[in-house]
Amino acid sequence: MATLEAPVRPRSGLHTGPFTTEPFFDFRNEENARRMRAAIAKVRGQLGREYDLILGGKRVKTADKIKSLNPASPSEVVGIHQKAGKDQVEPAMSAALKAFESWSRTSVEERASLLFHVADLLRQRKMEFMAWLVFEVSKNWGEADADISETLDFCEFYAREALRLANAKTPVQLPGERDSLLYIPLGVGAVIPPWNFPCAIMAGMTLASIVSGNTVILKPSSDSPTIAAKFVELLEECGMPEGVVNFCPGAGASFGDAVVAHPKTRFIAFTGSREVGLHINKAAAEQAPGQIWIKRTILEMGGKDAIVVDADADIAAAVEGVAQSAFGFQGQKCSACSRAIIDERIYDKFLEQLKARVEKIKVGDPAENAPMAAVINEGAMKTILDYIEQGKKDGRLITGGERMKELGEGYFVQPTVIADIPPKSKLEQEEIFGPVLAVIKARGFDHALQIANDTEFGLTGAVYTNSRDKIERAIAEFHVGNLYINRKCTGAMVGAHPFGGFNMSGTDSKSGGPDYLCLFTQAKSVGEKIG
Ligand code: NAD
């Protein structure tokens, strides 16, 4: 068995050192900026190409297509993809089942070395992958860097975790027995990611599945299939056997539903909205004819994340943390701050400083590295603008509130702050998933925590305070999967901040944490009499 320190087969590139997170680029360095512009120019020249489904290593075309568009310039087609439907479910499942026979028996060292190899090549092509995110989902350079860095972190972290898990010991060895605990693969999984971390989450759920010995049917979001296609090409280039990942862009409601319902689907790894997550949970609970297991569901869903600012907090730091958390990547992170809950004693001062900070945020073309770019699609833009109209009725518009038509056809929405939003109102309770921040006045710290906890979600949260006592209270009482103190509530780092939410935010799977791979395996206990 391999250990982290002394892997059995270092020849295929098992990285032996301790895990460290991938460094980000500093784009104030002109050479880095020049290289990023060159990567963007290269990818621009590859836009509009057609990609195939990949079933058991074979390229397959369908009559229906999915067009992935640039949100900042929707007449620009980023990629044309096949659209898997019900007819592709059986071929995808047979390919995955066939590959499972050998992949599940492949040594963990070999599976881990595939991930290390992917990390090596991805690191070399990091800016090119980042450039695809600029075009496909309107990430600026820094946001794209964070997404691909996290992808690299998942490669490096899950490979090490698989090696560690393979070396697990039972806590007790009975006299006269050899007692062991083996974490064996589950079977074929459906991997269903969202578009907002279209490389990191898509790759993270896929890599965790396959390094554990499973095979998958990967159905990327229809808003971001191109980056997924690029990643699967990279897996193939690194020697992934045919059928281990079957690449199937398709509609959630037809292909996705059919894969979830299939009797041979053993697990579903999903990240996305509360509505779709609950739907999958229910569908997965049904026993299909011929199904001999309870399907495992790993479901990470939405958030209504809050930052609480106490009366004694450093207001400037809190303003900065709220602005970054609320408007980074246009507020389209599951961890984004969508509620700022402010003590009434500093409320006006906080709002004044926040308004000034937010009005400095420039919105524009992500290819030019604008701090804020376009929201994902027209439907999302309309929903966001509807929420803003509702917010204008329920509260007081401080800044923003409009679509930015002056930037052309792209889906640009101003960073928007609406104050005096009452607890329990629509804007205070529902996930908007756009650049809209509701500010809520609290009578004191108790009241602030009560408001913060009073939604059905429980993903991220932050507290700004200088009081140790209040920090301890937040740790004990603020009911979220990822809590931050005196810092922003976005930007979880693999290994340091295992990620996953409570309540309707999901099954608290803690991606990037030491328990994550257990979800993709089943533990077999063996007690062997010896002597
Ligand atoms: P979504 O729920 O609309 O879609 C997610 C995926 O599910 C997509 O691939 C989609 O095609 C697929 N899908 C849709 N209907 C389906 C069905 N009936 N059966 C099977 N699959 C189906 O979410 P989205 O808009 O892509 O992403 C945004 C959401 O994701 C937000 O709610 C955000 O909070 C959440 N999110 C959560 C986390 C987390 O870690 N908790 C991380 C990122 C995003």
Side-chain angles (χ1 to χ4, degrees), residues 46-69:
Q46 296 173 12
L47 297 182
R49 289 190 183 169
E50 188 166 336
Y51 301 84
D52 294 339
L53 305 184
I54 307 176
L55 306 177
K58 297 195 178 47
R59 266 54 186 170
V60 174
K61 291 205 192 296
T62 59
D64 286 349
K65 309 284 177 199
I66 295 170
K67 270 189 191 166
S68 164
L69 308 177

PDB file of all heavy atoms in Angstrom, residues 46-69:
ATOM      1  N   GLN A  46     -10.100  29.996 -31.324  1.00  0.00           N
ATOM      2  CA  GLN A  46     -10.664  28.628 -31.321  1.00  0.00           C
ATOM      3  C   GLN A  46     -12.157  28.626 -30.981  1.00  0.00           C
ATOM      4  O   GLN A  46     -12.752  27.564 -30.804  1.00  0.00           O
ATOM      5  CB  GLN A  46      -9.921  27.775 -30.292  1.00  0.00           C
ATOM      6  CG  GLN A  46      -8.458  27.590 -30.621  1.00  0.00           C
ATOM      7  CD  GLN A  46      -7.705  26.880 -29.506  1.00  0.00           C
ATOM      8  OE1 GLN A  46      -8.286  26.319 -28.582  1.00  0.00           O
ATOM      9  NE2 GLN A  46      -6.389  26.902 -29.583  1.00  0.00           N
ATOM     10  N   LEU A  47     -12.758  29.813 -30.861  1.00  0.00           N
ATOM     11  CA  LEU A  47     -14.171  29.858 -30.487  1.00  0.00           C
ATOM     12  C   LEU A  47     -15.044  29.290 -31.607  1.00  0.00           C
ATOM     13  O   LEU A  47     -14.668  29.347 -32.778  1.00  0.00           O
ATOM     14  CB  LEU A  47     -14.607  31.306 -30.208  1.00  0.00           C
ATOM     15  CG  LEU A  47     -13.914  32.009 -29.040  1.00  0.00           C
ATOM     16  CD1 LEU A  47     -14.478  33.418 -28.860  1.00  0.00           C
ATOM     17  CD2 LEU A  47     -14.052  31.216 -27.748  1.00  0.00           C
ATOM     18  N   GLY A  48     -16.190  28.749 -31.221  1.00  0.00           N
ATOM     19  CA  GLY A  48     -17.175  28.304 -32.211  1.00  0.00           C
ATOM     20  C   GLY A  48     -16.952  26.907 -32.740  1.00  0.00           C
ATOM     21  O   GLY A  48     -17.691  26.445 -33.610  1.00  0.00           O
ATOM     22  N   ARG A  49     -15.955  26.188 -32.215  1.00  0.00           N
ATOM     23  CA  ARG A  49     -15.716  24.818 -32.695  1.00  0.00           C
ATOM     24  C   ARG A  49     -16.783  23.869 -32.177  1.00  0.00           C
ATOM     25  O   ARG A  49     -17.438  24.141 -31.170  1.00  0.00           O
ATOM     26  CB  ARG A  49     -14.353  24.334 -32.210  1.00  0.00           C
ATOM     27  CG  ARG A  49     -13.226  25.037 -32.926  1.00  0.00           C
ATOM     28  CD  ARG A  49     -11.915  24.369 -32.595  1.00  0.00           C
ATOM     29  NE  ARG A  49     -10.837  25.103 -33.245  1.00  0.00           N
ATOM     30  CZ  ARG A  49      -9.552  24.923 -32.995  1.00  0.00           C
ATOM     31  NH1 ARG A  49      -9.174  24.026 -32.098  1.00  0.00           N
ATOM     32  NH2 ARG A  49      -8.637  25.611 -33.632  1.00  0.00           N
ATOM     33  N   GLU A  50     -16.883  22.717 -32.846  1.00  0.00           N
ATOM     34  CA  GLU A  50     -17.884  21.726 -32.430  1.00  0.00           C
ATOM     35  C   GLU A  50     -17.207  20.619 -31.618  1.00  0.00           C
ATOM     36  O   GLU A  50     -16.096  20.194 -31.937  1.00  0.00           O
ATOM     37  CB  GLU A  50     -18.561  21.145 -33.668  1.00  0.00           C
ATOM     38  CG  GLU A  50     -19.730  20.254 -33.305  1.00  0.00           C
ATOM     39  CD  GLU A  50     -20.630  19.938 -34.489  1.00  0.00           C
ATOM     40  OE1 GLU A  50     -20.667  20.709 -35.469  1.00  0.00           O
ATOM     41  OE2 GLU A  50     -21.299  18.890 -34.417  1.00  0.00           O
ATOM     42  N   TYR A  51     -17.885  20.172 -30.569  1.00  0.00           N
ATOM     43  CA  TYR A  51     -17.375  19.111 -29.692  1.00  0.00           C
ATOM     44  C   TYR A  51     -18.379  17.965 -29.685  1.00  0.00           C
ATOM     45  O   TYR A  51     -19.587  18.193 -29.768  1.00  0.00           O
ATOM     46  CB  TYR A  51     -17.183  19.646 -28.263  1.00  0.00           C
ATOM     47  CG  TYR A  51     -16.214  20.801 -28.209  1.00  0.00           C
ATOM     48  CD1 TYR A  51     -16.647  22.108 -28.485  1.00  0.00           C
ATOM     49  CD2 TYR A  51     -14.869  20.614 -27.920  1.00  0.00           C
ATOM     50  CE1 TYR A  51     -15.763  23.173 -28.464  1.00  0.00           C
ATOM     51  CE2 TYR A  51     -13.976  21.675 -27.889  1.00  0.00           C
ATOM     52  CZ  TYR A  51     -14.429  22.954 -28.169  1.00  0.00           C
ATOM     53  OH  TYR A  51     -13.548  24.011 -28.154  1.00  0.00           O
ATOM     54  N   ASP A  52     -17.853  16.749 -29.532  1.00  0.00           N
ATOM     55  CA  ASP A  52     -18.720  15.569 -29.574  1.00  0.00           C
ATOM     56  C   ASP A  52     -18.967  15.013 -28.173  1.00  0.00           C
ATOM     57  O   ASP A  52     -18.218  15.292 -27.244  1.00  0.00           O
ATOM     58  CB  ASP A  52     -18.044  14.473 -30.413  1.00  0.00           C
ATOM     59  CG  ASP A  52     -17.919  14.881 -31.868  1.00  0.00           C
ATOM     60  OD1 ASP A  52     -18.673  15.782 -32.300  1.00  0.00           O
ATOM     61  OD2 ASP A  52     -17.059  14.305 -32.569  1.00  0.00           O
ATOM     62  N   LEU A  53     -20.016  14.200 -28.075  1.00  0.00           N
ATOM     63  CA  LEU A  53     -20.163  13.388 -26.866  1.00  0.00           C
ATOM     64  C   LEU A  53     -19.008  12.390 -26.885  1.00  0.00           C
ATOM     65  O   LEU A  53     -18.518  12.016 -27.959  1.00  0.00           O
ATOM     66  CB  LEU A  53     -21.458  12.579 -26.874  1.00  0.00           C
ATOM     67  CG  LEU A  53     -22.798  13.295 -27.068  1.00  0.00           C
ATOM     68  CD1 LEU A  53     -23.928  12.268 -26.947  1.00  0.00           C
ATOM     69  CD2 LEU A  53     -22.985  14.407 -26.066  1.00  0.00           C
ATOM     70  N   ILE A  54     -18.594  11.936 -25.723  1.00  0.00           N
ATOM     71  CA  ILE A  54     -17.561  10.888 -25.669  1.00  0.00           C
ATOM     72  C   ILE A  54     -18.131   9.739 -24.845  1.00  0.00           C
ATOM     73  O   ILE A  54     -18.326   9.861 -23.628  1.00  0.00           O
ATOM     74  CB  ILE A  54     -16.242  11.404 -25.062  1.00  0.00           C
ATOM     75  CG1 ILE A  54     -15.782  12.676 -25.793  1.00  0.00           C
ATOM     76  CG2 ILE A  54     -15.157  10.329 -25.143  1.00  0.00           C
ATOM     77  CD1 ILE A  54     -14.535  13.334 -25.209  1.00  0.00           C
ATOM     78  N   LEU A  55     -18.452   8.653 -25.526  1.00  0.00           N
ATOM     79  CA  LEU A  55     -19.051   7.486 -24.868  1.00  0.00           C
ATOM     80  C   LEU A  55     -18.102   6.315 -25.054  1.00  0.00           C
ATOM     81  O   LEU A  55     -17.862   5.878 -26.189  1.00  0.00           O
ATOM     82  CB  LEU A  55     -20.419   7.145 -25.490  1.00  0.00           C
ATOM     83  CG  LEU A  55     -21.435   8.300 -25.528  1.00  0.00           C
ATOM     84  CD1 LEU A  55     -22.728   7.866 -26.221  1.00  0.00           C
ATOM     85  CD2 LEU A  55     -21.737   8.791 -24.127  1.00  0.00           C
ATOM     86  N   GLY A  56     -17.540   5.841 -23.967  1.00  0.00           N
ATOM     87  CA  GLY A  56     -16.568   4.746 -24.072  1.00  0.00           C
ATOM     88  C   GLY A  56     -15.414   5.101 -24.989  1.00  0.00           C
ATOM     89  O   GLY A  56     -14.912   4.251 -25.718  1.00  0.00           O
ATOM     90  N   GLY A  57     -15.011   6.355 -24.961  1.00  0.00           N
ATOM     91  CA  GLY A  57     -13.885   6.800 -25.786  1.00  0.00           C
ATOM     92  C   GLY A  57     -14.273   7.139 -27.218  1.00  0.00           C
ATOM     93  O   GLY A  57     -13.462   7.691 -27.959  1.00  0.00           O
ATOM     94  N   LYS A  58     -15.502   6.832 -27.611  1.00  0.00           N
ATOM     95  CA  LYS A  58     -15.906   7.095 -29.004  1.00  0.00           C
ATOM     96  C   LYS A  58     -16.612   8.437 -29.126  1.00  0.00           C
ATOM     97  O   LYS A  58     -17.421   8.806 -28.280  1.00  0.00           O
ATOM     98  CB  LYS A  58     -16.850   5.991 -29.489  1.00  0.00           C
ATOM     99  CG  LYS A  58     -16.164   4.665 -29.508  1.00  0.00           C
ATOM    100  CD  LYS A  58     -16.887   3.606 -30.297  1.00  0.00           C
ATOM    101  CE  LYS A  58     -16.063   2.327 -30.281  1.00  0.00           C
ATOM    102  NZ  LYS A  58     -15.569   1.954 -28.916  1.00  0.00           N
ATOM    103  N   ARG A  59     -16.302   9.145 -30.207  1.00  0.00           N
ATOM    104  CA  ARG A  59     -16.948  10.432 -30.474  1.00  0.00           C
ATOM    105  C   ARG A  59     -18.323  10.172 -31.088  1.00  0.00           C
ATOM    106  O   ARG A  59     -18.439   9.396 -32.043  1.00  0.00           O
ATOM    107  CB  ARG A  59     -16.108  11.242 -31.459  1.00  0.00           C
ATOM    108  CG  ARG A  59     -15.127  12.225 -30.853  1.00  0.00           C
ATOM    109  CD  ARG A  59     -14.190  11.640 -29.866  1.00  0.00           C
ATOM    110  NE  ARG A  59     -13.382  12.685 -29.230  1.00  0.00           N
ATOM    111  CZ  ARG A  59     -12.602  12.495 -28.185  1.00  0.00           C
ATOM    112  NH1 ARG A  59     -12.516  11.307 -27.624  1.00  0.00           N
ATOM    113  NH2 ARG A  59     -11.919  13.487 -27.674  1.00  0.00           N
ATOM    114  N   VAL A  60     -19.339  10.837 -30.554  1.00  0.00           N
ATOM    115  CA  VAL A  60     -20.716  10.613 -31.018  1.00  0.00           C
ATOM    116  C   VAL A  60     -21.381  11.965 -31.268  1.00  0.00           C
ATOM    117  O   VAL A  60     -21.214  12.896 -30.485  1.00  0.00           O
ATOM    118  CB  VAL A  60     -21.517   9.829 -29.930  1.00  0.00           C
ATOM    119  CG1 VAL A  60     -22.986   9.695 -30.311  1.00  0.00           C
ATOM    120  CG2 VAL A  60     -20.890   8.454 -29.688  1.00  0.00           C
ATOM    121  N   LYS A  61     -22.125  12.035 -32.380  1.00  0.00           N
ATOM    122  CA  LYS A  61     -22.871  13.271 -32.675  1.00  0.00           C
ATOM    123  C   LYS A  61     -24.365  13.043 -32.482  1.00  0.00           C
ATOM    124  O   LYS A  61     -24.840  11.902 -32.597  1.00  0.00           O
ATOM    125  CB  LYS A  61     -22.609  13.702 -34.125  1.00  0.00           C
ATOM    126  CG  LYS A  61     -21.196  14.189 -34.356  1.00  0.00           C
ATOM    127  CD  LYS A  61     -21.125  15.131 -35.531  1.00  0.00           C
ATOM    128  CE  LYS A  61     -19.688  15.404 -35.951  1.00  0.00           C
ATOM    129  NZ  LYS A  61     -18.890  16.084 -34.943  1.00  0.00           N
ATOM    130  N   THR A  62     -25.085  14.095 -32.176  1.00  0.00           N
ATOM    131  CA  THR A  62     -26.544  14.010 -32.072  1.00  0.00           C
ATOM    132  C   THR A  62     -27.131  15.056 -33.007  1.00  0.00           C
ATOM    133  O   THR A  62     -26.441  15.997 -33.421  1.00  0.00           O
ATOM    134  CB  THR A  62     -27.019  14.322 -30.635  1.00  0.00           C
ATOM    135  OG1 THR A  62     -26.572  15.644 -30.282  1.00  0.00           O
ATOM    136  CG2 THR A  62     -26.483  13.328 -29.620  1.00  0.00           C
ATOM    137  N   ALA A  63     -28.433  14.892 -33.306  1.00  0.00           N
ATOM    138  CA  ALA A  63     -29.080  15.871 -34.189  1.00  0.00           C
ATOM    139  C   ALA A  63     -29.231  17.210 -33.463  1.00  0.00           C
ATOM    140  O   ALA A  63     -28.932  18.273 -34.020  1.00  0.00           O
ATOM    141  CB  ALA A  63     -30.441  15.338 -34.622  1.00  0.00           C
ATOM    142  N   ASP A  64     -29.656  17.152 -32.204  1.00  0.00           N
ATOM    143  CA  ASP A  64     -29.820  18.402 -31.431  1.00  0.00           C
ATOM    144  C   ASP A  64     -28.466  18.905 -30.938  1.00  0.00           C
ATOM    145  O   ASP A  64     -27.592  18.099 -30.610  1.00  0.00           O
ATOM    146  CB  ASP A  64     -30.699  18.150 -30.206  1.00  0.00           C
ATOM    147  CG  ASP A  64     -32.145  18.001 -30.601  1.00  0.00           C
ATOM    148  OD1 ASP A  64     -32.484  18.297 -31.764  1.00  0.00           O
ATOM    149  OD2 ASP A  64     -32.930  17.565 -29.732  1.00  0.00           O
ATOM    150  N   LYS A  65     -28.339  20.217 -30.864  1.00  0.00           N
ATOM    151  CA  LYS A  65     -27.061  20.805 -30.405  1.00  0.00           C
ATOM    152  C   LYS A  65     -27.312  21.775 -29.253  1.00  0.00           C
ATOM    153  O   LYS A  65     -28.414  22.322 -29.102  1.00  0.00           O
ATOM    154  CB  LYS A  65     -26.388  21.602 -31.542  1.00  0.00           C
ATOM    155  CG  LYS A  65     -26.254  20.848 -32.859  1.00  0.00           C
ATOM    156  CD  LYS A  65     -25.152  19.813 -32.869  1.00  0.00           C
ATOM    157  CE  LYS A  65     -25.158  19.079 -34.209  1.00  0.00           C
ATOM    158  NZ  LYS A  65     -24.470  17.810 -34.186  1.00  0.00           N
ATOM    159  N   ILE A  66     -26.252  22.004 -28.482  1.00  0.00           N
ATOM    160  CA  ILE A  66     -26.256  23.051 -27.450  1.00  0.00           C
ATOM    161  C   ILE A  66     -25.223  24.080 -27.892  1.00  0.00           C
ATOM    162  O   ILE A  66     -24.094  23.719 -28.213  1.00  0.00           O
ATOM    163  CB  ILE A  66     -25.824  22.475 -26.079  1.00  0.00           C
ATOM    164  CG1 ILE A  66     -26.837  21.458 -25.570  1.00  0.00           C
ATOM    165  CG2 ILE A  66     -25.599  23.596 -25.055  1.00  0.00           C
ATOM    166  CD1 ILE A  66     -26.353  20.671 -24.349  1.00  0.00           C
ATOM    167  N   LYS A  67     -25.621  25.346 -27.886  1.00  0.00           N
ATOM    168  CA  LYS A  67     -24.652  26.400 -28.218  1.00  0.00           C
ATOM    169  C   LYS A  67     -24.264  27.114 -26.934  1.00  0.00           C
ATOM    170  O   LYS A  67     -25.129  27.621 -26.217  1.00  0.00           O
ATOM    171  CB  LYS A  67     -25.287  27.427 -29.158  1.00  0.00           C
ATOM    172  CG  LYS A  67     -25.100  27.102 -30.609  1.00  0.00           C
ATOM    173  CD  LYS A  67     -25.555  28.269 -31.458  1.00  0.00           C
ATOM    174  CE  LYS A  67     -25.615  27.831 -32.898  1.00  0.00           C
ATOM    175  NZ  LYS A  67     -26.341  28.763 -33.732  1.00  0.00           N
ATOM    176  N   SER A  68     -22.974  27.134 -26.672  1.00  0.00           N
ATOM    177  CA  SER A  68     -22.505  27.868 -25.500  1.00  0.00           C
ATOM    178  C   SER A  68     -22.096  29.263 -25.952  1.00  0.00           C
ATOM    179  O   SER A  68     -21.291  29.416 -26.875  1.00  0.00           O
ATOM    180  CB  SER A  68     -21.321  27.106 -24.900  1.00  0.00           C
ATOM    181  OG  SER A  68     -20.625  27.942 -24.025  1.00  0.00           O
ATOM    182  N   LEU A  69     -22.666  30.292 -25.307  1.00  0.00           N
ATOM    183  CA  LEU A  69     -22.460  31.674 -25.755  1.00  0.00           C
ATOM    184  C   LEU A  69     -21.622  32.459 -24.756  1.00  0.00           C
ATOM    185  O   LEU A  69     -21.605  32.149 -23.560  1.00  0.00           O
ATOM    186  CB  LEU A  69     -23.819  32.372 -25.920  1.00  0.00           C
ATOM    187  CG  LEU A  69     -24.850  31.635 -26.788  1.00  0.00           C
ATOM    188  CD1 LEU A  69     -26.165  32.407 -26.800  1.00  0.00           C
ATOM    189  CD2 LEU A  69     -24.337  31.424 -28.210  1.00  0.00           C
TER     190      LEU A  69
END
